[in-house]
Amino acid sequence: MASRRTAAIARSLSTGLAGRRVFCNHQARNPWREAIRAISTSPAPNPGASDASAGGSGSRKRTFNVTKADAQPTISKHHKITFDDKRVSVPWEEGKTSTFQHIWLRDHCQCATCMHPQTKQRQLDTFSIPLNIRPSLVEPRDDGLYIEWWGDHQSQYTWEWLHRHSYAPRLEKYISVQRKLWGQEVANDLPTVKYDDVMASDAGVAEWTSKIETYGFCFVDGVPVTPEATEEVVQRIAHIRHTHYGGFWDFTADLKMKDMAYTNLALPAHTDTTYFTEPCGLQMFHLLEFEGTGGESLLVDGFRAARMLRDEKPESFRTLSTVRIPTHASGNEEVSIEPYTPFPVFNHHPVTGELVQVRWNNEDRATMDRWADLEDVEKFYQAIYDWNEVLKRSDGEFRQQLEPGKALIFDNWRVLHGRGAFTGHRRMCGAYIARDDFHSRLRLTNYGREEILMGL
Ligand SMILES: C[N+](C)(C)CCCC[C@H](N)C(=O)O
Ligand SMILES: O=C(O)CCC(=O)C(=O)O
């Protein structure tokens, strides 16, 4: 774990070359090796099943890999809690012993004077704690560990909190997101929720956000065919993320904004806003009006496609995990947006190595004029040709003509979207939601605030 973490930290540090527009494939230590096993694909519940009633807000328990499947935060009946001049040792019934340094425990005191009871922020002045602080009393009690500190402060830590935050050793590890990767067959059982459920309760939002996390997209059935109702339903997840396109958009092929989305041209599978340091997290589309031909929508599961590229063309997967691609949005005269640094197509979690984000928009790719060496140019083009070939496979494409009343929302960090060329009048509305705002709502509605606060 330490070497992997070191490699990941080394890689994440080396990607932070601020100021220089570097996109050459710096020789980080095998980031793609960590990604090899990290595109999590786990069985997920049946997408069609509506569990708004059963789901309920806060009903899902977060799953953790504890040392034993049934490990409970129960202290050992046979071994005593001890402490020396540096640390407290807590032996658990599961056979592990956690060590907590005194300074760490004091700094993490959960009492109402150290942790603001409403804002959940630390109000203790950490730097007022003597670095050599130690307890005058350590006492196990039914509801947790009670400590009296020199300088007469008292702290109490529940057993569940100590077990959850044990760091030496880590007792509870988070299991990867249980995603279901899909191809064309997803059309047979589309992840869908009911507008009324979403508007009526947080349980409905829990079901909706859970399906977006699992499948990378979800339809909302029964949305009134107005921009107002569409704006209202997307805000059931979070506030809208504003960009130079505005907040909530209602657009047609009038080139009102100088972007090809505002034309009737075909758009190949892409992710949006690759020119922002943080691409938008979710994107909603609701077709309001259409009299014409063509214009069908396309979705491709970028995580499934990435796994296929990794398995079939590992060198191309590695290239697209390391070569940084400059991007821009400069069609509108008052705007020219670039990220603070270019990013690769495949972006991995700096610690777990898991694939967390696909950034791919060939239309918004800027000039690539900085290469570590010449053959990287051919390697890059080979890699994007291989990637494009995978994206274009019909068994990975979900194509559907959107219809009024059925809004589509998708994870722009995972799912690529596109559309066919069209003729006639076509009016579409929708909005972006930032990734962290989506994750906040997903976790709170599915696990409940108490569970989330316990883990912070
Ligand atoms: C705002 N609205 C969704 C209508 C258009 C956005 C244009 C997105 C741009 N082509 C990109 O790929 O980021
Ligand atoms: O008009 C559509 O269906 C999609 C437009 C699009 O791809 C975008 O706005 O990024």
Side-chain angles (χ1 to χ4, degrees), residues 136-206:
S136 50
L137 171 70
V138 173
E139 187 180 79
R141 294 183 175 176
D142 290 347
D143 54 355
L145 185 65
Y146 173 76
I147 295 182
E148 284 180 6
W149 300 98
W150 282 354
D152 80 1
H153 186 80
Q154 295 84 37
S155 300
Q156 176 110 7
Y157 309 84
T158 66
W159 299 122
E160 184 174 12
W161 188 91
L162 284 172
H163 195 272
R164 177 72 64 83
H165 295 285
S166 171
Y167 54 88
R170 277 293 291 153
L171 295 179
E172 305 196 4
K173 297 173 189 61
Y174 186 65
I175 296 177
S176 297
V177 170
Q178 309 299 300
R179 289 193 183 88
K180 179 168 176 54
L181 306 188
W182 46 266
Q184 195 177 36
E185 80 292 340
V186 76
N188 305 327
D189 201 355
L190 290 170
T192 306
V193 292
K194 296 185 182 69
Y195 169 79
D196 291 345
D197 290 344
V198 166
M199 298 307 291
S201 71
D202 278 1
V205 176

Side-chain angles (χ1 to χ4, degrees), residues 245 249 251 259 261-262 270-273 275 283 361 364 432:
Y245 305 111
W249 3 271
F251 67 102
D259 183 282
Y262 296 76
H270 66 280
T271 62
D272 267 21
T273 60
Y275 35 79
Q283 182 165 354
N361 186 318
D364 296 340
Y432 292 134

Side-chain angles (χ1 to χ4, degrees), residues 70-347:
D70 59 351
Q72 294 302 314
T74 311
I75 52 170
S76 165
K77 297 183 184 67
H78 314 294
H79 302 285
K80 289 261 176 283
I81 289 177
T82 60
F83 71 100
D84 59 24
D85 62 348
K86 283 279 184 203
R87 54 190 66 86
V88 175
S89 296
V90 178
W92 301 102
E93 186 193 334
E94 68 203 78
K96 294 279 176 99
T97 295
S98 296
T99 301
F100 300 97
Q101 276 100 330
H102 297 329
I103 180 73
W104 186 92
L105 280 169
R106 180 65 189 87
D107 181 44
H108 287 89
C109 180
Q110 302 289 300
C111 80
T113 53
C114 294
M115 186 68 70
H116 194 290
Q118 276 77 43
T119 70
K120 308 303 177 191
Q121 291 168 292
R122 176 178 285 100
Q123 57 183 354
L124 160 70
D125 172 10
T126 296
F127 312 102
S128 69
I129 308 170
L131 279 172
N132 63 348
I133 190 166
R134 52 173 298 168
S136 50
L137 171 70
V138 173
E139 187 180 79
R141 294 183 175 176
D142 290 347
D143 54 355
L145 185 65
Y146 173 76
I147 295 182
E148 284 180 6
W149 300 98
W150 282 354
D152 80 1
H153 186 80
Q154 295 84 37
S155 300
Q156 176 110 7
Y157 309 84
T158 66
W159 299 122
E160 184 174 12
W161 188 91
L162 284 172
H163 195 272
R164 177 72 64 83
H165 295 285
S166 171
Y167 54 88
R170 277 293 291 153
L171 295 179
E172 305 196 4
K173 297 173 189 61
Y174 186 65
I175 296 177
S176 297
V177 170
Q178 309 299 300
R179 289 193 183 88
K180 179 168 176 54
L181 306 188
W182 46 266
Q184 195 177 36
E185 80 292 340
V186 76
N188 305 327
D189 201 355
L190 290 170
T192 306
V193 292
K194 296 185 182 69
Y195 169 79
D196 291 345
D197 290 344
V198 166
M199 298 307 291
S201 71
D202 278 1
V205 176
E207 180 196 9
W208 189 22
T209 51
S210 177
K211 287 186 174 176
I212 295 169
E213 179 187 52
T214 304
Y215 295 91
F217 74 102
C218 188
F219 282 97
V220 187
D221 246 346
V223 182
V225 187
T226 67
E228 294 75 15
T230 308
E231 183 169 8
E232 199 182 357
V233 71
V234 77
Q235 292 184 121
R236 286 288 290 151
I237 292 183
H239 52 279
I240 287 168
R241 175 173 163 184
H242 284 239
T243 67
H244 55 297
Y245 305 111
F248 186 81
W249 3 271
D250 182 346
F251 67 102
T252 61
D254 59 5
L255 261 181
K256 190 172 168 199
M257 294 299 289
K258 300 301 177 275
D259 183 282
M260 290 194 288
Y262 296 76
T263 72
N264 60 3
L265 297 169
L267 299 173
H270 66 280
T271 62
D272 267 21
T273 60
T274 51
Y275 35 79
F276 281 118
T277 297
E278 183 193 314
C280 67
L282 302 183
Q283 182 165 354
M284 174 176 271
F285 284 137
H286 185 194
L287 184 72
L288 298 177
E289 299 160 7
F290 183 37
E291 298 97 40
T293 60
E296 70 172 12
S297 295
L298 161 68
L299 296 182
V300 178
D301 186 346
F303 282 14
R304 173 181 179 270
R307 184 180 64 173
M308 293 167 78
L309 184 71
R310 175 201 69 188
D311 296 347
E312 296 172 23
K313 302 281 175 57
E315 195 51 35
S316 292
F317 179 79
R318 175 188 173 81
T319 298
L320 297 186
S321 295
T322 52
V323 173
R324 293 174 170 277
I325 301 176
T327 51
H328 79 101
S330 307
N332 299 287
E333 286 180 18
E334 70 288 358
V335 162
S336 179
I337 298 171
E338 289 180 287
Y340 85 94
T341 182
F343 289 88
V345 175
F346 303 130
N347 295 270

Side-chain angles (χ1 to χ4, degrees), residues 388-408:
N388 183 59
E389 187 277 322
V390 172
L391 287 177
K392 292 268 169 59
R393 292 180 189 172
S394 57
D395 69 349
E397 294 184 323
F398 167 59
R399 290 183 180 277
Q400 180 163 286
Q401 184 64 262
L402 295 185
E403 52 187 273
K406 195 167 180 174
L408 165 67

